[in-house]
Amino acid sequence: MAIDQDVEELSIMGDSNLIILQAQGEWETQNVKLILYRQYVEYLSKRFKSVEFRYIPRFHNELVDALATLASMLPYTGNVHIDPLEIQIPQRHGYCSVVEIDPDAQTCGEVLYKRTPDLNL
């Protein structure tokens, strides 16, 4: 598709560091099933002035993570047409900051944890 549209510079992003490093030629592809794919990527890369492969960890790309989760939950029976998914991104983020507290209740000593961007608690 990019070749048909006369694209000269291509930036390819992925969330598998192994695949990105193999596509860049920094690591060898040992899986026999993937060697032909690697060779084809090398062939296609020569048809562009520049090709950049970038690794983006999945926790930095929440939309891809959400789509991958949704895709794993959908049954796929084979040769079935799947309509495209329309995604709308609002101009403002929606936040919920309402907390109801019973002023007479004793604290139970539990600690609430929050996940940080690097997936630590």
Side-chain angles (χ1 to χ4, degrees):
M1 185 171 159
I3 293 172
D4 296 337
Q5 295 181 3
D6 296 325
V7 171
E8 295 179 353
E9 297 177 3
L10 190 63
S11 179
I12 300 168
M13 295 171 258
D15 63 0
S16 171
N17 198 30
L18 174 64
I19 298 296
I20 294 295
L21 290 172
Q22 288 174 340
Q24 290 173 328
E26 293 182 33
W27 287 11
E28 282 190 32
T29 305
Q30 295 180 353
N31 187 331
V32 177
K33 295 178 184 177
L34 296 179
I35 291 175
L36 290 176
Y37 288 109
R38 167 63 187 114
Q39 291 171 347
Y40 192 61
V41 167
E42 189 175 326
Y43 163 76
L44 289 175
S45 295
K46 292 177 182 175
R47 299 184 69 179
F48 298 94
K49 283 186 180 177
S50 70
V51 177
E52 173 193 17
F53 294 93
R54 278 197 313 175
Y55 166 64
I56 298 179
R58 188 173 272 188
F59 61 82
H60 284 306
N61 195 344
E62 293 174 350
L63 179 60
V64 170
D65 191 38
L67 290 174
T69 301
L70 286 172
S72 69
M73 295 168 32
L74 296 173
Y76 181 68
T77 58
N79 227 357
V80 177
H81 173 74
I82 299 175
D83 290 327
L85 180 64
E86 183 178 325
I87 300 172
Q88 296 178 355
I89 301 174
Q91 296 298 320
R92 292 184 292 161
H93 294 290
Y95 295 98
C96 179
S97 60
V98 177
V99 178
E100 294 181 19
I101 299 174
D102 183 2
D104 297 328
Q106 294 283 347
T107 59
C108 59
E110 292 183 27
V111 178
L112 178 65
Y113 291 95
K114 179 180 178 185
R115 182 181 287 190
T116 61
D118 59 352
L119 300 178
N120 290 322
L121 296 176

